[in-house]
Amino acid sequence: MTQRIVLSRFILAFIAGVISVLVFHQGMLALLHTINFTSRSPYPMTPTAPFGIPQVFSSALWGGVWGLVWAAIAPSFRRKNYWIAALLFGALAPTLVAWFVVAPLKSQPLAGGWQPAGMVTGLLVNGAWGFGTALLLSLFARRQAFSR
């Protein structure tokens, strides 16, 4: 692959990750909130430290960063395993980092205090993000191939 194609793939992966947070991640959170599985509501505008960025936009930014990670590892998965890998990557990688790296840095309990509903919510919303990111990246790549 040329450098231009690789750069283009990573830019698209970042965009896919951002959009996936806004559509798939927050969509799953909206569904879980609607059925009263979680008290967390979608699209939170609560300011985050240290810059006061609304939480949903902070999450979207990090979704873009995780999209870059997905773009780096996705080519190693075969076509039939791609969707399973995307779902598992999304559910596990960001969730485990949030539970065991971010939470202690923010003086929060590990794994959401081991509360089952909170743990399942994290796995589901991030799994939805992973699937959405892979789907969008796949659609972007297909569109890019047709435009050549």
Side-chain angles (χ1 to χ4, degrees):
M1 272 195 238
T2 68
Q3 286 181 339
R4 184 175 176 190
I5 292 172
V6 170
L7 179 61
S8 161
R9 177 168 171 77
F10 280 99
I11 290 170
L12 292 175
F14 183 84
I15 293 168
V18 168
I19 293 170
S20 187
V21 166
L22 299 173
V23 176
F24 294 90
H25 180 278
Q26 293 299 297
M28 177 61 78
L29 187 57
L31 174 67
L32 296 173
H33 182 73
T34 299
I35 64 171
N36 293 318
F37 187 80
T38 183
S39 61
R40 289 177 44 206
S41 58
Y43 303 100
M45 298 304 282
T46 309
T48 58
F51 302 113
I53 298 169
Q55 187 175 355
V56 68
F57 298 130
S58 176
S59 295
L61 173 70
W62 284 107
V65 172
W66 280 107
L68 296 173
V69 176
W70 172 248
I73 66 169
S76 64
F77 298 106
R78 294 190 180 152
R79 189 96 177 122
K80 68 179 183 176
N81 295 330
Y82 179 78
W83 300 107
I84 294 168
L87 186 63
L88 290 175
F89 171 78
L92 296 176
T95 305
L96 292 174
V97 169
W99 287 350
F100 299 110
V101 177
V102 176
L105 290 173
K106 292 183 171 186
S107 300
Q108 297 172 348
L110 293 177
W114 301 100
Q115 299 298 316
M119 295 175 79
V120 171
T121 297
L123 293 167
L124 289 174
V125 298
N126 288 330
W129 167 86
F131 178 82
T133 299
L135 176 65
L136 291 170
L137 190 54
S138 177
L139 293 173
F140 291 164
R142 189 174 300 149
R143 181 181 168 132
Q144 193 175 36
F146 285 130
S147 68
R148 287 187 195 153

